[in-house]
Amino acid sequence: MRRPKQQLTAQAAAAILESATNGILSLVDADGEPYGVPLSYACDGNGHIYFHSAARGHKIDSVGSGAPCSFCVVDRDAVVPDEFTTYFRSVIVKGKIHIMDDYDEIHKGLLLLCAKYSPGIDPAREIAKCIGHVKVLRLDISQITGKQAIELVNRHN
């Protein structure tokens, strides 16, 4: 990182990744073109991020098997006009993404998504309704980097 003073600790980056509700998954499609798509997601706490997807489409075509990708989450982005800046916190994850074909792994991903976005609601009916026609993607994390605005660093010092 060019400005290491602004780098978030691994724990702070993981906390942002866990708490945020959406991010941008960036892939390279079959034609070599960049493709970024906003997605909801859930983390398993063991180095994996899960997404759900329609069974067909540009995203699925771009994932392939073990495609390199990045995923960016913005935790905070407060515009401060009189300072000509933003007070931000963000996390970028790099890794490889896979389409899950194992039933247990698909079910795990869907359970994590349900727990995050519909806490306290029994997910069994919703999962049974969609499991036959939904794809679950798993991003295997190889690197996490978090960064924050220098103003936020200075505020805490």
Side-chain angles (χ1 to χ4, degrees):
M1 178 173 293
R2 188 171 63 88
R3 296 184 176 178
K5 186 176 181 182
Q6 291 176 251
Q7 186 167 346
L8 294 170
T9 65
Q11 296 82 6
I16 288 170
L17 196 59
E18 186 66 36
S19 67
T21 59
N22 64 78
I24 307 294
L25 177 65
S26 296
L27 304 161
V28 176
D29 70 15
D31 296 326
E33 295 294 321
Y35 176 64
V37 60
L39 295 172
S40 53
Y41 68 96
C43 301
D44 72 354
N46 293 310
H48 305 105
I49 300 173
Y50 289 85
F51 310 93
H52 72 288
S53 175
R56 295 188 345 219
H58 195 75
K59 176 176 48 198
I60 291 297
D61 293 344
S62 300
V63 168
S65 178
C69 66
S70 68
F71 185 63
C72 178
V73 172
V74 177
D75 174 58
R76 179 178 179 178
D77 186 28
V79 177
V80 186
D82 57 325
E83 294 181 31
F84 295 95
T85 194
T86 62
Y87 290 4
F88 68 90
R89 280 195 184 99
S90 62
V91 173
I92 297 176
V93 172
K94 292 182 181 179
K96 294 190 184 263
I97 192 162
H98 308 270
I99 300 170
M100 297 292 94
D101 55 11
D102 176 74
Y103 177 86
D104 290 338
E105 193 72 14
I106 292 167
H107 195 256
K108 174 185 175 180
L110 294 174
L111 282 174
L112 287 167
L113 288 160
C114 287
K116 182 171 184 175
Y117 295 98
S118 298
I121 298 174
D122 182 8
R125 194 169 128 216
E126 189 62 28
I127 289 175
K129 191 168 65 173
C130 76
I131 200 161
H133 63 271
V134 70
K135 294 288 185 186
V136 171
L137 311 176
R138 188 187 73 206
L139 192 165
D140 299 335
I141 300 170
S142 62
Q143 180 182 3
I144 301 175
T145 305
K147 185 177 179 182
Q148 65 183 330
I150 191 67
E151 294 83 1
L152 297 176
V153 172
N154 293 337
R155 184 180 291 169
H156 293 291
N157 290 338

